[in-house]
Amino acid sequence: MNNTLSRRQILLGGMGVSISHWLLAKAVSQRDGAGTCTGVASEQVLAIALQRGDPGGHYRRALATFPFQQFSDMVLKAFFIEGGQRPGQRPRNIPMFDIAPSKLLIALRVCADYSMVWLAKEKNDGPIGMNYLDKIGIPHVYALVGAMLAGVDYLTVGAGIPDSFPIMIDAVLSGQLVKYPVPVSEIGRSTFHEMCFDPSGFFGENLPEMKRPAFFPVIASNLLAQVLLRMKKLQGKIDGFVIEGPTAGGHNAPPRDHEVDASGDPVYNERDVVNFRKIADYGLPFWIGGGIASPEKLRWAISEGAVGGQIGTAFAFCQESGMDPELRRRVARLAYEGKLKIRTSSLASPTGFPFKTVEGLDGTLTDPHIQVERACTRGALRTLFRKIDGSIGYRCPAEPVDIYVSKGGLHEDTAGRQCICNGLLATAGLGNSDFPKIVTSGDDLPRLMRALMNGPDDDYTVDKVFEYLAA
Ligand SMILES: Cc1cc2nc3c(=O)[nH]c(=O)nc-3n(C[C@H](O)[C@H](O)[C@H](O)COP(=O)(O)O)c2cc1C
């Protein structure tokens, strides 16, 4: 692993969809941090940006350097609209990932992760990483190739047990078939469908020489650190950890004892507290995530043996963030004024993981007056199930209940589930105009906005976050 990376105290949290996009990642890595781009639904992000005419020409600049031009041309031809979509013009259909994606969708995904890393690294020597969620497994084999072609420095992977990533990295480096096992629900047993990608077969020539990115699993317990480090296949292939606590924004690990409060939200107890000294004993660099964005907390993390902190919320609401600027400033102002509450919802996310939602924002998905019709139109969080005829089907607990149940899904799994694919794309200003946004943040949001803003209408930058943390 590159030495400067293991000395960077501030690791930008990977924040989907498109919150920690390349501009934010670049800004953080230029300020002595490590800049993580989010890889969540990046194919949607690239296709939508191209349909909007690629303002600033950034993606076209990146795609002009893609090593297999025939494929980037295919992507541009399919999605780029000169001057952007006209009012009333229907957006081009972006296919959903399934186990047999089209050539165009594969090219789109490889090009998306390539472009994001390439743009974050453009005229920038600082370390740039990619964040993936184990749970969104179908596109990983393509995404990783794109990120590695652009020279990604490290990967942070959470929301599951990401033990297949180092094996995929080896396969990409040695020109082998890249494989990722995606779970398939089946009555009475759990099986996997192996996604396979042969990059040289696909591109028609061998991949250029690439470097090995460092691999940092994002985990929430001593137990998982131990399990991963004991796996034979991972020996020497884990370069460090991000240890994320239950106050962090985004999805959280469920409590070990599965305790819930009266409203069904998770309750964490002392069994969820990580012993960082034990993590430090492994001798690998690690960063602590969740409420670390203060000078005192950062010093405490370092005193526990960590390199520093993985920070999300403080950066999600700064100028360089990928969040829709109007929404971002509204949330920051209301948080500054103490008018918002952060909830850890057991139900909101179709993934089944607890998900932090910002409550008190009229017109967003957490507003009880907002009703949206259930539908699955993006498909990023669909899971696989085995149909009676043995073939594979797809379902998401946020789709219409009767459809989900007709696919063998449990009725109780649909309660309260919302389409966060469309909600999060809307939050990044990339959604359909009529779909409500959904905002996630860490518990620390109100305190942070008061620490970082000079008044309710202030708009702070990445620089301000670094200055505050160094105080
Ligand atoms: C808006 C937002 C989106 C997030 N999305 C993701 C994600 O897609 N993948 C992930 O691993 N973590 C995600 N996180 C968690 C961050 O990567 C990071 O670990 C966390 O924000 C650290 O805690 P903090 O929010 O208290 O700083 C997200 C956090 C926020 C605030």
Side-chain angles (χ1 to χ4, degrees):
M1 186 192 357
N2 144 346
N3 278 338
T4 62
L5 175 55
S6 60
R7 287 200 301 268
R8 303 249 164 167
Q9 287 181 3
I10 311 296
L11 187 65
L12 170 65
M15 294 184 282
V17 173
S18 199
I19 302 300
S20 48
H21 72 154
W22 62 269
L23 244 175
L24 178 58
K26 182 172 183 175
V28 170
S29 82
Q30 284 176 324
R31 275 294 316 236
D32 257 7
T36 316
C37 298
T38 167
V40 174
S42 60
E43 75 283 358
Q44 304 265 343
V45 175
L46 175 61
I48 294 167
L50 293 176
Q51 293 185 354
R52 292 183 177 182
D54 185 26
H58 302 299
Y59 287 114
R60 278 167 294 161
R61 196 165 71 250
L63 290 175
T65 69
F66 187 67
F68 308 103
Q69 282 291 297
Q70 183 196 339
F71 293 86
S72 43
D73 286 350
M74 182 198 294
V75 168
L76 285 168
K77 199 157 165 246
F79 296 105
F80 177 62
I81 301 176
E82 187 79 57
Q85 227 170 287
R86 300 317 148 249
Q89 191 179 353
R90 275 173 69 84
R92 299 204 176 139
N93 180 43
I94 308 168
M96 288 187 198
F97 262 106
D98 58 23
I99 56 169
S102 66
K103 204 170 170 182
L104 174 62
L105 184 55
I106 295 174
L108 176 65
R109 182 67 203 223
V110 177
C111 284
D113 292 59
Y114 173 86
S115 309
M116 289 172 196
V117 173
W118 188 91
L119 286 166
K121 288 177 101 37
E122 187 183 21
K123 297 185 191 142
N124 172 26
D125 292 334
I128 293 296
M130 257 291 181
N131 172 251
Y132 296 113
L133 301 182
D134 176 63
K135 190 98 184 162
I136 310 182
I138 300 177
H140 287 333
V141 288
Y142 315 111
L144 179 67
V145 171
M148 284 178 65
L149 278 170
V152 69
D153 296 296
Y154 64 94
L155 305 177
T156 61
V157 190
I161 303 181
D163 55 322
S164 298
F165 265 82
I167 319 300
M168 279 203 298
I169 295 172
D170 285 345
V172 177
L173 290 174
S174 58
Q176 310 280 309
L177 197 61
V178 189
K179 300 182 201 164
Y180 200 84
V182 182
V184 181
S185 300
E186 214 168 319
I187 297 169
R189 59 195 194 128
S190 72
T191 54
F192 291 90
H193 172 82
E194 200 157 63
M195 290 300 295
C196 294
F197 182 38
D198 168 18
S200 44
F202 183 78
F203 293 118
E205 54 184 293
N206 289 342
L207 296 181
E209 211 167 291
M210 285 170 281
K211 70 169 188 220
R212 168 182 290 280
F215 173 61
F216 305 140
V218 182
I219 58 171
S221 68
N222 289 95
L223 183 66
L224 189 49
Q226 199 180 65
V227 168
L228 289 170
L229 286 169
R230 282 192 182 159
M231 283 186 185
K232 232 184 173 156
K233 64 177 181 180
L234 298 186
Q235 291 308 303
K237 293 182 176 163
I238 294 178
D239 300 286
F241 289 105
V242 175
I243 318 280
E244 207 188 59
T247 62
H251 288 95
N252 300 134
R256 268 181 91 173
D257 293 334
H258 298 282
E259 235 183 281
V260 289
D261 65 14
S263 47
D265 292 345
V267 176
Y268 296 86
N269 63 30
E270 65 284 353
R271 292 214 325 132
D272 299 298
V273 176
V274 174
N275 183 332
F276 295 110
R277 300 290 167 98
K278 282 199 175 150
I279 300 280
D281 286 345
Y282 294 127
L284 293 171
F286 68 99
W287 289 261
I288 301 177
I292 293 295
S294 76
E296 301 76 24
K297 275 300 187 81
L298 199 55
R299 278 197 290 274
W300 165 80
I302 293 165
S303 74
E304 290 287 297
V307 177
Q310 166 158 287
I311 293 177
T313 301
F315 290 117
F317 297 91
C318 76
Q319 274 178 33
E320 294 88 341
S321 154
M323 196 177 290
D324 172 66
E326 205 180 301
L327 175 70
R328 176 174 64 73
R329 297 196 64 182
R330 183 171 146 225
V331 175
R333 187 177 61 249
L334 291 171
Y336 180 92
E337 291 168 344
K339 293 183 179 153
L340 298 178
K341 270 181 67 179
I342 317 301
R343 175 178 178 194
T344 311
S345 168
S346 288
L347 298 180
S349 169
T351 61
F353 280 91
F355 185 62
K356 287 267 192 306
T357 52
V358 177
E359 313 271 314
L361 285 171
D362 295 346
T364 68
L365 271 180
T366 57
D367 177 343
H369 300 104
I370 292 285
Q371 295 290 329
V372 283
E373 221 176 291
R374 284 174 162 266
C376 181
T377 57
R378 304 280 181 184
L381 296 176
R382 295 190 306 176
T383 53
L384 310 188
F385 71 96
R386 182 83 54 199
K387 293 188 191 171
I388 294 171
D389 66 4
S391 64
I392 297 247
Y394 306 86
R395 66 187 180 212
C396 172
E399 70 186 325
V401 177
D402 53 337
I403 297 182
Y404 183 73
V405 173
S406 73
K407 295 174 181 172
L410 296 177
H411 193 284
E412 58 261 38
D413 288 346
T414 62
R417 304 289 189 214
Q418 296 174 316
C419 176
I420 65 169
C421 292
N422 274 301
L424 290 173
L425 274 165
T427 298
L430 299 170
N432 302 333
S433 53
D434 52 349
F435 201 92
K437 302 170 168 73
I438 184 157
V439 182
T440 177
S441 99
D443 289 349
D444 220 11
L445 176 70
R447 182 197 68 78
L448 269 172
M449 294 307 106
R450 282 191 295 276
L452 292 165
M453 292 163 70
N454 289 321
D457 295 319
D458 192 20
D459 195 12
Y460 66 94
T461 59
V462 159
D463 280 356
K464 178 72 192 266
V465 180
F466 275 86
E467 276 157 32
Y468 165 61
L469 293 174

